[in-house]
Amino acid sequence: LQEYDFTVTREYLTPDCVEKLVLTVNGEFPGPEVRVSAGEEVVITVHNNLPTESLAIHWHGQHQIGSPFQDGVSKISQCPTPPYSSFTYRFKANDEPGTYFYHVHTGGMIEGGAFGAFIVEPESSDYDAEYTMIVAGNYHRNGQE
C-alpha cells in the first residue's frame, strides 16, 4: 500500500523565467512523483485548496479495473472535488511497469499545472539509477487571464 497526500493550490512561480500563476501540488511544480509497484494499492488524498474552482486528478495509464470512478475525468467518471474539500482516490496500479503521468482534469485548468510523474516500478531493474524528466509547454498567461 502506497499512500500520498496532495494539496492543490495556486502560486506565483517562474517555470520558464516568466512569473505566472500556476497550479502546484504540495507547493511543487511539477508535482511530486508517485512511485509504486506493479499491482500495488494506491491511496491518494487530494485536498483542493482553490477558493473558487473544483478539480479532479486523472491518472494516465492506470486502467482502473474495478475502480472506474477513481479515474479523475471530471463530470464523466467522477464529480469534481469542490473548493476547500478533499477526495481520496483508491485504486490498484496497473501491472505494466513504466512511467506514466497524472494531471488536473477539469476544464481550462489542464494547462495551468498540477501534474507529475506516476511511476510503476518493475520487480527488478538493470539500472543503477533513474531520473525522471517532465517536458511541458508553459503558457505565459493562465486560463483565468
Side-chain angles (χ1 to χ4, degrees):
L1 172 70
Q2 286 290 333
E3 295 185 80
Y4 293 87
D5 202 59
F6 284 2
T7 299
V8 177
T9 192
R10 287 193 189 276
E11 298 181 46
Y12 280 99
L13 298 176
T14 54
D16 63 351
C17 300
V18 175
E19 185 176 70
K20 65 179 259 180
L21 194 59
V22 298
L23 291 169
T24 63
V25 179
N26 297 350
E28 298 177 34
F29 179 85
E33 185 176 277
V34 173
R35 189 173 285 269
V36 299
S37 298
E40 186 171 27
E41 184 177 5
V42 184
V43 176
I44 302 173
T45 300
V46 176
H47 308 281
N48 179 1
N49 273 11
L50 302 174
T52 61
E53 298 165 281
S54 298
L55 64 82
I57 305 257
H58 177 58
W59 316 97
H60 276 268
Q62 303 312 301
H63 304 306
Q64 302 298 347
I65 296 171
S67 56
F69 301 112
Q70 304 294 301
D71 195 37
V73 181
S74 179
K75 300 180 184 174
I76 294 177
S77 64
Q78 76 171 87
C79 293
T81 305
Y84 298 120
S85 298
S86 300
F87 182 80
T88 299
Y89 293 89
R90 183 181 300 271
F91 58 91
K92 288 198 182 275
N94 72 35
D95 292 327
E96 300 170 33
T99 302
Y100 301 94
F101 187 69
Y102 68 85
H103 66 90
V104 168
H105 202 287
T106 309
M109 297 171 75
I110 293 171
E111 77 277 355
F115 56 81
F118 190 108
I119 298 170
V120 178
E121 294 183 318
E123 286 186 31
S124 63
S125 174
D126 295 330
Y127 301 106
D128 293 332
E130 178 182 289
Y131 302 94
T132 304
M133 180 173 75
I134 295 177
V135 179
N138 290 313
Y139 297 93
H140 289 170
R141 294 190 314 186
N142 66 39
Q144 294 181 326
E145 295 176 310

